[in-house]
């Protein structure tokens, strides 16, 4: 996690594309995510879908709107109530949110999210490490992976 934090230390908006890639590696049903503009994004860094089912003659896949918020924070800097509330306030009807952070969510913010039943999936530093390991990204090759993310835009088109 230290390498990711260091890599984006001077480019916090760059982490948004990394978070999108992590989300897609976590579950390939997260699809068609596009980054929002890096300024005044309204508490959403990317918008996309979670797809259930597959296209067939009998069925049409269900595409659920999803908003992603990415926070590249130091290990001792928690995502607080303010940041969580901002994402919650931007979730539209029939949409859910994903908060991805290189840190953790403060106990109060997490408690309020759970107690109030908000549709927010939290992916913290420990989760990110596990997702990357499952996808054969380790301390030996993470630098190469991070550089590779810079070579493509959020639609997978080479820059």
């Amino acid at each position: 996690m230290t390498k990711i934090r260091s890599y984006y230390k001077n480019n916090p908006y760059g982490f948004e594309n990394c978070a999108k890639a992590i989300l897609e590696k976590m579950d390939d049903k997260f699809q068609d995510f596009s980054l929002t503009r890096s300024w005044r994004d309204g508490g959403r860094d990317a918008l996309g879908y979670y797809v259930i089912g597959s296209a067939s003659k009998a069925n049409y896949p269900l595409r659920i709107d999803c908003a992603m918020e990415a926070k590249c924070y130091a290990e001792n800097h928690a995502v607080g109530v303010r940041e969580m509330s901002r994402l919650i306030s931007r979730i539209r009807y029939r949409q859910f949110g994903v908060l991805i952070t290189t840190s953790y969510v403060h106990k109060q913010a997490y408690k309020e999210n759970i107690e109030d039943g908000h549709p927010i999936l939290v992916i913290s530093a420990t989760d990110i490490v596990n997702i990357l390991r499952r996808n054969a990204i380790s301390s030996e090759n993470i630098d190469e992976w991070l550089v590779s993310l810079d070579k493509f835009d959020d639609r997978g088109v080479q820059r």
Side-chain angles (χ1 to χ4, degrees):
M1 196 53 47
T2 302
K3 288 190 177 194
I4 292 175
R5 288 185 198 108
S6 296
Y7 191 82
Y8 294 108
K9 183 177 183 178
N10 296 320
N11 181 15
Y13 297 116
F15 178 67
E16 294 171 3
N17 192 44
C18 178
K20 175 182 143 326
I22 291 167
L23 185 61
E24 292 167 346
K25 286 188 176 303
M26 181 183 85
D27 188 336
D28 64 358
K29 293 179 182 185
F30 284 105
Q31 298 175 5
D32 299 330
F33 274 79
S34 296
L35 297 177
T36 59
R37 63 182 183 222
S38 56
W39 68 99
R40 302 182 103 187
D41 61 16
R44 300 172 302 184
D45 295 324
L47 298 171
Y49 303 97
Y50 189 80
V51 180
I52 300 172
S54 61
S56 69
K57 290 181 181 180
N59 270 333
Y60 194 76
L62 177 62
R63 294 167 55 93
I64 302 169
D65 285 340
C66 180
M68 183 197 79
E69 179 70 6
K71 297 293 183 191
C72 188
Y73 286 171
E75 65 183 307
N76 59 352
H77 180 151
V79 174
V81 172
R82 183 174 152 259
E83 294 99 330
M84 184 69 83
S85 296
R86 188 165 184 227
L87 175 59
I88 290 166
S89 71
R90 299 307 191 264
I91 300 299
R92 298 183 316 233
Y93 180 66
R94 294 188 176 179
Q95 187 178 56
F96 74 100
V98 179
L99 174 72
I100 300 178
T101 179
T102 57
S103 185
Y104 64 98
V105 174
H106 189 276
K107 182 179 179 180
Q108 183 64 33
Y110 190 77
K111 180 181 175 190
E112 287 180 17
N113 184 53
I114 297 300
E115 286 178 353
D116 294 343
H118 295 295
I120 305 295
L121 173 65
V122 174
I123 301 169
S124 65
T126 304
D127 301 314
I128 292 171
V129 169
N130 291 330
I131 292 163
L132 295 178
R133 282 185 185 151
R134 281 195 311 268
N135 286 274
I137 299 170
S138 65
S139 58
E140 287 80 35
N141 63 1
I142 193 162
D143 292 325
E144 183 180 328
W145 180 71
L146 290 169
V147 168
S148 76
L149 295 176
D150 292 339
K151 294 180 181 178
F152 298 92
D153 66 15
D154 68 315
R155 291 176 182 82
V157 177
Q158 191 164 5
R159 293 179 187 187

